[in-house]
Amino acid sequence: MAVVGACDEWSPLRESVVGIAYGAMFPAEDRGMVEATMPREHWDEFRPGHPFPPWIVEAAEQELQTLAELLEGMGCVVHRPHRVPWSELGGYCAAMPRDALLVMGDRVVEAPMAWRSRRRELLAYRPLLQQLRRSGARWLRSEVDLRVDPLDGGPSSLGRWAIGDARPAWDAADFLRLGPDTVVGQLSHVTNRSGVAHLRARLGAGVSVYLLPVRDPHAMHIDATLCPLREGLALYNPERIDPALLADGPLGGWELVPAPFPDARDDPPLYMTSPWVSMNLLVVDHQHVLVEARDEKLQALLDSYGMTPLPLPFRNVQALGGSFHCATLDLRRDRRRAPLG
Ligand code: DAV
């Protein structure tokens, strides 16, 4: 059996990374980048040597542990990242494994991330990557000179993004798998055109990478914009996506359901995301999907589509920058046809 094998976002999850909150620091990033992507009321938090509030980190660690145990209880093998002292090295955290690595088929592809503050993040996953490679996975290093800064190229020709095209940059969370030959994604403040070309070259001719038309001035990661639930069914963010514009691409013919508008909330604060992080779900198998415990409208919606929502408290993890999809990295999903009926 392949050690790494995931071609979509919904087949039964058999093996996954679940992040850890240990030592989480506000990533100290270029001010222009912070202003382009982060909520205005929290811009001043993103400075060097500034940890997240310890009570949030502690509570997030517990939420992640509960998630790991729940997945294990459902028969999924769970790996946890290595503890890295981010406060000493500079960095962010290992709570969001979805951002740095893209799994497609038997490949684990390293993302040449745009954020300087996140360049050492792979330290947290290196022991696991070595283990996976020894047992047969293809580990594709980025081979991009990360000393070249995509910010140095100045704004892109459209003037729309914080990065230029000075070197290839992409974050794995700007992409989603729709099948063995299809990845969809977006350009964003962390993914440039040369980054998309780099990813296409990594995945090879057998995989098409489609860029979706997304309306999001703060775009950074597509997993609070589109959430595939099963073959042919996806939730979309009605503020960012016009489903009529998706008809010609790989989502043509899919049933696209608008996610409910998230409730306003500030406790704990969403330091790094919009409230749409509510739709950052993890599909565990053809039936079960992880949803934040208090997102009842979303739970009812999933229920009406024949799925079983698994409500789990996750607000402290969300405060660190992502929800169930961000905080995990699928290593193996069993690809077989959904049961009929
Ligand atoms: O607010 O759309 C959520 C995803 C973060 N990895 C947002 C970003």
Side-chain angles (χ1 to χ4, degrees), residues 11-12 21 36 75 125-126 132 139 144 172 187 203 213 229 233 236 269 283 291 307:
S11 290
Y125 309 104
R126 196 166 280 165
L132 293 173
W139 174 14
V144 162
L187 294 174
L203 295 179
L229 294 172
L233 178 70
Y236 72 93
V283 177
V291 196
M307 301 198 76

Side-chain angles (χ1 to χ4, degrees), residues 125-184:
Y125 309 104
R126 196 166 280 165
L128 170 64
L129 287 164
Q130 275 157 354
Q131 181 191 330
L132 293 173
R133 189 176 50 175
R134 276 197 297 272
S135 34
R138 275 194 277 170
W139 174 14
L140 304 179
R141 307 298 306 261
S142 90
E143 286 168 19
V144 162
D145 183 356
L146 295 180
R147 289 168 305 180
V148 180
D149 200 314
L151 283 160
D152 291 341
S156 61
S157 51
L158 288 173
R160 183 174 169 198
W161 306 119
I163 53 171
D165 245 337
R167 68 136 168 107
W170 55 273
D171 271 16
D174 267 328
F175 299 91
L176 295 165
R177 299 175 302 257
L178 292 190
D181 54 6
T182 310
V183 166
V184 293

Side-chain angles (χ1 to χ4, degrees), residues 210-229:
Y210 292 87
L211 294 181
L212 300 179
V214 173
R215 185 176 57 230
D216 179 4
H218 306 293
M220 175 175 173
H221 304 164
I222 200 168
D223 50 0
T225 297
L226 184 73
C227 175
L229 294 172

Side-chain angles (χ1 to χ4, degrees), residues 103-290:
V103 171
M104 180 59 177
D106 67 347
R107 310 170 197 79
V108 185
V109 191
E110 177 189 356
M113 301 179 91
W115 282 32
R116 268 172 263 187
S117 53
R118 302 190 66 178
R119 299 228 175 121
R120 292 194 169 125
E121 218 158 292
L122 231 52
L123 285 174
Y125 309 104
R126 196 166 280 165
L128 170 64
L129 287 164
Q130 275 157 354
Q131 181 191 330
L132 293 173
R133 189 176 50 175
R134 276 197 297 272
S135 34
R138 275 194 277 170
W139 174 14
L140 304 179
R141 307 298 306 261
S142 90
E143 286 168 19
V144 162
D145 183 356
L146 295 180
R147 289 168 305 180
V148 180
D149 200 314
L151 283 160
D152 291 341
S156 61
S157 51
L158 288 173
R160 183 174 169 198
W161 306 119
I163 53 171
D165 245 337
R167 68 136 168 107
W170 55 273
D171 271 16
D174 267 328
F175 299 91
L176 295 165
R177 299 175 302 257
L178 292 190
D181 54 6
T182 310
V183 166
V184 293
Q186 66 177 6
L187 294 174
S188 75
H189 291 291
V190 294
T191 295
N192 59 19
R193 289 211 176 265
S194 55
V196 176
H198 174 267
L199 173 61
R200 286 189 173 124
R202 298 318 263 154
L203 295 179
V207 180
S208 301
V209 179
Y210 292 87
L211 294 181
L212 300 179
V214 173
R215 185 176 57 230
D216 179 4
H218 306 293
M220 175 175 173
H221 304 164
I222 200 168
D223 50 0
T225 297
L226 184 73
C227 175
L229 294 172
R230 58 182 180 236
E231 179 97 50
L233 178 70
L235 288 178
Y236 72 93
N237 180 323
E239 282 189 346
R240 299 180 186 168
I241 284 201
D242 174 356
L245 299 178
L246 302 186
D248 292 333
L251 290 154
W254 279 50
E255 184 173 3
L256 299 169
V257 181
F261 274 74
D263 296 324
R265 47 164 289 192
D266 56 8
D267 184 32
L270 287 175
Y271 292 109
M272 296 187 66
T273 71
S274 74
W276 287 104
V277 76
S278 58
M279 59 175 288
N280 187 267
L281 308 177
L282 184 72
V283 177
V284 184
D285 57 33
H286 295 302
Q287 193 63 38
H288 299 95
V289 53
L290 286 157

